[in-house]
Each structure stands twice: as structure tokens, then as C-alpha cells.
Amino acid sequence: MYYLIELLASFLAVTVVLTLHEFSHAYVAYKCGDPTPKFNKRLTLNPLAHFDILGLVLFAFAGFGWAKPVPINPYNFNHYKKGLTLTALAGVAMNYITAFLFCPLFYLVTYYVNIPIAALQSLLELFTLYLFLYSVSFCVFNLIPLPPLDGWRVVQAVNRKRGRVYRFLERYGSIILIVLIGIHFLANFMSHYEMLALAGRIFSYVDILGYIMRYVVWAFQWPITALWGLVF
């Protein structure tokens, strides 16, 4: 029963986090002069317009994933470089801002809300917790400078040179990202089974994505939890 409650809370939180992330991309691009997101019906808070099924499932089970990228035409921006940079950063900025707001919401629910039905209480507590955790993890994951993530869009916006490293990452970055995700998944999966524990430990040594998500997410979370911890 608890597993089902946890799974439902996870999917609900993912729905909110992904929708806000993609909507912010669409809104900022539109405000910078590009009507493409509006023409493609992405200037909306309707979750169905933004979902990518694989990214949604991975997010719910692994704590990070992706949504359907918002289509933009940077040549429509009033200022090309500024518009591209602001649009790329809009999603991660939205996630960090909402993480700052979801953290006290979790504290309020945990400390001051008492629903007689235990299942509903657990659902609400897990939902608000995942809103906070997923917001931070999605922020960090999307800052990785590999296509098609937001971090790569920032690199495109600020990088004037197109050297060998840039061209290599542009061509193979998405493959590198899939490999990193695959290693992280195998390291986590194998660690849960005794007969595969040794192989899981080996994969964990090269789990670069795992190191990023573990330590960078903690670094991003700490200022928020430290600040709100003074209040609660």
C-alpha cells in the first residue's frame, strides 16, 4: 500500500515540476519575441502538452528525467544571444525558485497538517517532499552541458567559437548522456541484488551522473533547507 502511495505522490510531483519547467521556457521565449511556443500550443500549464513518456517514467522512478523540449526559433528573438540565454536558463531558474517555495510547504504539511486518514497524510507529505526534491534534481540535471539539456543551450548561447570539443559534444553529446544514464541505472539496479552487488559496485565507481546528482544536488539543496530550517 505504501509503495502505491509513494508512486502516486512521485507522479503527481513530476507532473507539477515538469509542467512548470517547460512552461517557463515557452513563456520566456515568447516574451523575448519568439511566437513558436505559442503556435505549437506549448504556452500552457496543461501537463499533457509537455510530457515525454520515457522522461516522465524515468523521473518518477529515478529522480531525474526530461520533458518534451519546447520548440523555439532563436532567430525570432529581439536579441539573439540574450533571448537564447534567458530561454535556456528559464527552466532551471523556475525549478530552483519553486524548490525554495516547496520546501516550507513540506515543513508546514509535516508539522501542522494532521489528516485522520493515514494514507492521505502520507500522500500529502510525500507529494510536497517530492515537489522539493524533484525541483532541485531537475534543476541540476538540466544544467549538465550536454545536448539536448538546458546546459547545452547555454553553451550554444555564450560560446562564440565552434572548436573541436564543441563539435564533438554537439554530435555525440546525446549519446554520452544516454550512456551516463545507463551506467547510473545499472549501478542502482544491481546494488539491490546480492548476486549482482559486485558488478553494481564496479559500475558505481564510474557512475559520473550519480556523483553529480548526489553531491551537486546536495549543494543546491543546502542553502534552501538551511534557511527554512531557521524558520521551522
Side-chain angles (χ1 to χ4, degrees):
M1 180 64 178
Y2 183 80
Y3 175 76
L4 294 177
I5 293 173
E6 188 176 21
L7 189 60
L8 177 59
S10 180
F11 271 102
L12 291 174
V14 168
T15 299
V16 174
V17 171
L18 290 184
T19 300
L20 291 174
H21 180 95
E22 294 305 323
F23 171 77
S24 64
H25 281 311
Y27 180 79
V28 172
Y30 180 73
K31 286 296 183 180
C32 287
D34 181 21
T36 306
K38 186 175 182 179
F39 290 156
N40 285 271
K41 299 181 180 180
R42 299 298 298 279
L43 195 63
T44 175
L45 288 171
N46 180 2
L48 297 178
H50 304 295
F51 279 170
D52 177 277
I53 299 300
L54 179 59
L56 175 65
V57 171
L58 185 61
F59 204 156
F61 284 96
F64 62 88
W66 56 85
K68 192 189 307 179
V70 172
I72 62 170
N73 183 354
Y75 295 104
N76 288 330
F77 290 144
N78 300 323
H79 302 282
Y80 179 88
K81 185 176 180 179
K82 179 181 178 181
L84 193 58
T85 303
L86 290 177
T87 301
L89 291 174
V92 294
M94 170 65 82
N95 286 143
Y96 201 68
I97 292 171
T98 54
F100 183 81
L101 300 176
F102 289 145
C103 182
L105 181 62
F106 167 67
Y107 288 144
L108 285 171
V109 168
T110 303
Y111 297 145
Y112 300 109
V113 175
N114 187 13
I115 301 176
I117 304 175
L120 291 180
Q121 180 70 26
S122 297
L123 177 62
L124 188 57
E125 290 181 4
L126 286 172
F127 173 60
T128 52
L129 174 62
Y130 287 149
L131 283 175
F132 169 62
L133 295 179
Y134 287 170
S135 292
V136 180
S137 64
F138 202 40
C139 173
V140 171
F141 181 69
N142 271 279
L143 282 174
I144 297 174
L146 291 174
L149 302 179
D150 297 337
W152 179 251
R153 291 188 180 184
V154 176
V155 172
Q156 287 180 312
V158 302
N159 184 43
R160 296 181 179 180
K161 297 181 180 180
R162 296 293 188 265
R164 292 181 179 177
V165 174
Y166 180 93
R167 293 196 298 270
F168 175 83
L169 291 177
E170 185 176 42
R171 185 172 183 178
Y172 299 108
S174 58
I175 298 175
I176 295 173
L177 182 62
I178 292 173
V179 171
L180 292 177
I181 293 173
I183 292 174
H184 181 67
F185 175 79
L186 289 174
N188 284 340
F189 176 79
M190 291 179 177
S191 65
H192 288 86
Y193 298 93
E194 186 175 351
M195 61 185 301
L196 300 175
L198 178 60
R201 195 174 301 115
I202 294 173
F203 273 105
S204 68
Y205 292 140
V206 293
D207 183 14
I208 298 174
L209 184 58
Y211 291 123
I212 294 173
M213 298 305 295
R214 187 178 307 116
Y215 296 110
V216 180
V217 166
W218 178 87
F220 273 56
Q221 285 180 0
W222 183 83
I224 299 175
T225 54
L227 178 61
W228 285 113
L230 296 175
V231 178
F232 291 91

